[in-house]
Amino acid sequence: MKKRNSLMAAVFSVMFLCVSGTAMAGNIDIKGSTTVLPIAQKAAEAYMKGNPNAKITVSGGGSGNGIKAIIDGTTDIGNASRFIKDKEAQLAMEKGVYPVPFRVALDCIVPIVSPKNKITNLTSAQLKDIYTGKITNWKEVGGEDKEIVVVSRDTSSGTFEAWKEMVMKDEKVVQSALTVPSSGAIVQTIAKTDTAIAYVGFGYLTKEVKALSVNGISGSIETTLSGAYPICRPLFMFTKGWPEGETLDFINFVTSKKGQELVKEAGFIPMY
Amino acid sequence: MTAKREKTEVLVKYTFFLIALFSVLVLGLIVLFLFMEGIPIFSKVSVYDFVFGTKWYPTDEPPDFGIFPLIVASFCVTFLSAVVSIPLGVMTAVYISEIASKRVAEIVKPVVELLASLPSVVIGFFGMVIAGPFIQEVFNVPVGVNLFNASLMLAFMSIPTICTISEDAIRSVPVSMREASLALGATRLETILKVVFPASLSGISTAVILGMSRAIGETMVVLMVAGGAAMIPKSIFSPVRPLPASIAAEMAEAPFRGDHYHALFATGIVLFIFTLLFNILADFVASKYKQTGEASL
């Protein structure tokens, strides 16, 4: 009892600190999206090396949090692995805030299965049917006669939202789907479960899992850049109004050739 | 001289009173905060729909906030872990305090207590990497992270609680009662079953209930090995999503003070109420079967 309460108190105080720490002049505060986080971190490190006076703090916490922090004015840059939602845009206008999106990278999401699975390709329609629970056996898509174990990310993950929008067309994921809290755990689960299917960002592909091609096109830097691969999304950094000074400099750095190389290093797809 | 002593007495009294007051105050503030952050969701969804709704899609448009599958999952996991941990915990306690020689008891007891000091994330990892694939193979089920696995891991975690508190209760049974029983010609087993066990029942029940309340609130283990499917389990090998797992998995990315955030705090309220009920029950049982003196048996 007591132990948990003190733990909760600690968590809340940390959350409180995150929320109350407002942006200061000269420093850049970056918040939001665990997907964009590695890019922001790498870019911040490289930027601070080149500009010893700059001080950048980076924290994660979900795309929704990043955009909300921009609307509330508690951060300089809000990361998001999706575009601003209608509701959020409306809220921003009501508060007189004009969030400006900068596209900083691309990410393609790849369906993965165990290397023991014979399937190599699925159509987007088949993927949708599997995730809505209409297809429940691998033999329906040309595989073995085994039940499909559907693995998904948690509902608040940006990857989940992208998958839902692009593959599910906003239909609901079947309730019996396993949900896993991180991309690393997804790979781990798939490697251990022969009959499972899941999806991860391009940067998380490893040898333990097999990437499926979608509609006959396999996810890669080339197919994503050419627009041929269907499950791909841009990643954004939002600012409150047009950025100035140090913040503008940093955004310029991320979108520069050097910055885009860092994007590639972080496991994502550069814009050019 | 006496005036000075009285002064110290008063000083000590109030110092300790203040310290006690402070911890009560902190607890009160946390509960207040919990309710303040959780209650706004009930303007979007009724209490009944929240507790008995069967669909949990907090980020959909429009969202569904129904935590009934999560509640069911929490209870199933707790119940199943109790089935494993109660016999093991209580019997270990009986063994340590009644049967084992002093030397064996001195080894077994700290080892069992050491189980409690294992970080839950280690137990979770064990469940994920070792127990999961094992269960998958032995029972021939599609996924190894499920209700059964989570219950086993939780049982490991509540055994030390159950064992230590039960052992204290058994040890506090007066020696004269055992001697009387043995003197009347009862065997050792009869003494344990008919004298020692009933006499320490209050303590053992408290131990069991506290062990269960530890299991229902445990987060890391269920997050890692329960599977996380928000559905009412069909069998003991179904993946489930207990309340604490849901809070832990989603809190990090729920927009601050959004509907989802409030819904997670409301889930916390439900969990808080359950653990509170468990604790009140433990208190009630302890006082009801309380053994005072040797004559009341």
Side-chain angles (χ1 to χ4, degrees), chain A residues 69 80 103 118 127 141 158 169 204:
Chain A
R103 206 172 78 153
K118 281 182 201 130
L127 281 171
V141 290
K169 311 285 176 211
Y204 283 97

Side-chain angles (χ1 to χ4, degrees), chain B residues 1-53:
Chain B
M1 196 64 183
T2 42
K4 196 186 167 195
R5 280 177 70 172
E6 261 168 33
K7 231 181 212 169
T8 354
E9 281 291 320
V10 171
L11 197 71
V12 166
K13 186 181 156 194
Y14 283 106
T15 313
F16 278 87
F17 175 70
L18 277 180
I19 291 170
L21 196 69
F22 182 71
S23 31
V24 172
L25 193 76
V26 168
L27 177 67
L29 284 176
I30 291 174
V31 173
L32 185 75
F33 178 77
L34 184 64
F35 275 83
M36 265 168 51
E37 297 294 292
I39 281 176
I41 190 66
F42 296 121
S43 63
K44 298 271 163 58
V45 50
S46 72
V47 176
Y48 182 87
D49 286 343
F50 184 73
V51 176
F52 293 104

Side-chain angles (χ1 to χ4, degrees), chain B residues 12-271:
Chain B
V12 166
K13 186 181 156 194
Y14 283 106
T15 313
F16 278 87
F17 175 70
L18 277 180
I19 291 170
L21 196 69
F22 182 71
S23 31
V24 172
L25 193 76
V26 168
L27 177 67
L29 284 176
I30 291 174
V31 173
L32 185 75
F33 178 77
L34 184 64
F35 275 83
M36 265 168 51
E37 297 294 292
I39 281 176
I41 190 66
F42 296 121
S43 63
K44 298 271 163 58
V45 50
S46 72
V47 176
Y48 182 87
D49 286 343
F50 184 73
V51 176
F52 293 104
T54 55
K55 287 199 175 97
W56 176 253
Y57 288 105
T59 52
D60 274 29
E61 285 295 330
D64 281 315
F65 296 113
I67 59 166
F68 192 63
L70 315 184
I71 295 176
V72 172
S74 266
F75 272 102
C76 289
V77 165
T78 308
F79 178 76
L80 204 62
S81 79
V83 168
V84 180
S85 61
I86 293 171
L88 278 174
V90 173
M91 283 192 229
T92 312
V94 169
Y95 175 74
I96 292 174
S97 54
E98 294 292 311
I99 300 165
S101 67
K102 208 173 170 195
R103 191 182 288 165
V104 176
E106 267 170 13
I107 297 169
V108 174
K109 202 182 166 199
V111 169
V112 172
E113 278 164 4
L114 211 63
L115 258 184
S117 56
L118 273 181
S120 52
V121 66
V122 172
I123 295 190
F125 195 66
F126 174 78
M128 222 166 120
V129 176
I130 314 250
F134 183 74
I135 289 170
Q136 212 171 328
E137 204 151 294
V138 171
F139 295 99
N140 195 21
V141 285
V143 268
V145 283
N146 52 32
L147 209 172
F148 182 68
N149 191 342
S151 308
L152 274 189
M153 296 305 127
L154 285 182
F156 284 145
M157 303 204 65
S158 42
I159 282 172
T161 312
I162 295 179
C163 180
T164 335
I165 302 176
S166 304
E167 204 234 327
D168 284 345
I170 293 169
R171 214 173 268 283
S172 67
V173 174
V175 184
S176 57
M177 285 170 72
R178 294 190 187 86
E179 285 169 347
S181 168
L182 292 169
L184 284 170
T187 62
R188 209 154 173 199
L189 182 69
E190 281 167 340
T191 307
I192 291 171
L193 283 182
K194 297 197 173 149
V195 177
V196 177
F197 196 70
S200 51
L201 197 63
S202 121
I204 292 177
S205 330
T206 317
V208 165
I209 295 164
L210 288 179
M212 284 172 78
S213 91
R214 178 168 160 79
I216 203 170
E218 169 51 41
T219 308
M220 202 64 212
V221 166
V222 288
L223 180 64
M224 291 171 85
V225 299
M231 63 161 186
I232 294 167
K234 295 191 184 90
S235 78
I236 61 166
F237 295 112
S238 294
V240 290
R241 184 183 188 86
L243 297 164
S246 181
I247 299 175
E250 294 167 31
M251 190 50 99
E253 301 200 13
F256 185 66
R257 298 239 155 101
D259 287 348
H260 188 191
Y261 172 92
H262 290 308
L264 289 176
F265 271 96
T267 312
I269 295 176
V270 172
L271 191 60

Side-chain angles (χ1 to χ4, degrees), chain A residues 63-184:
Chain A
S63 303
N65 273 326
I67 290 175
K68 196 155 191 310
I70 283 295
I71 296 172
D72 294 342
T74 54
T75 187
D76 300 305
I77 297 176
N79 292 338
S81 58
R82 57 169 170 82
F83 199 66
I84 189 165
K85 285 183 187 173
D86 300 351
K87 239 188 186 169
E88 291 164 338
Q90 202 184 335
L91 185 70
M93 293 307 140
E94 277 166 16
K95 289 196 174 180
V97 176
Y98 297 91
V100 180
F102 291 92
R103 206 172 78 153
V104 294
L106 296 167
D107 184 21
C108 71
I109 303 175
V110 185
I112 52 171
V113 293
S114 157
K116 288 181 191 154
N117 198 321
K118 281 182 201 130
I119 301 275
T120 54
N121 176 59
L122 287 172
T123 65
S124 10
Q126 281 171 332
L127 281 171
K128 184 182 166 190
D129 285 350
I130 287 173
Y131 271 85
T132 50
K134 275 184 205 126
I135 294 177
T136 56
N137 197 307
W138 282 112
K139 74 177 175 198
E140 289 171 66
V141 290
E144 286 176 73
D145 183 9
K146 274 181 181 156
E147 203 185 319
I148 302 177
V149 176
V150 178
V151 181
S152 180
R153 283 294 306 281
D154 269 303
T155 47
S156 39
S157 124
T159 315
F160 170 83
E161 291 210 16
W163 182 260
K164 199 164 163 254
E165 190 191 314
M166 291 182 287
V167 177
M168 312 285 300
K169 311 285 176 211
D170 279 328
E171 277 193 47
K172 285 185 166 122
V173 172
V174 59
Q175 267 186 308
S176 61
L178 263 73
T179 56
V180 176
S182 70
S183 293

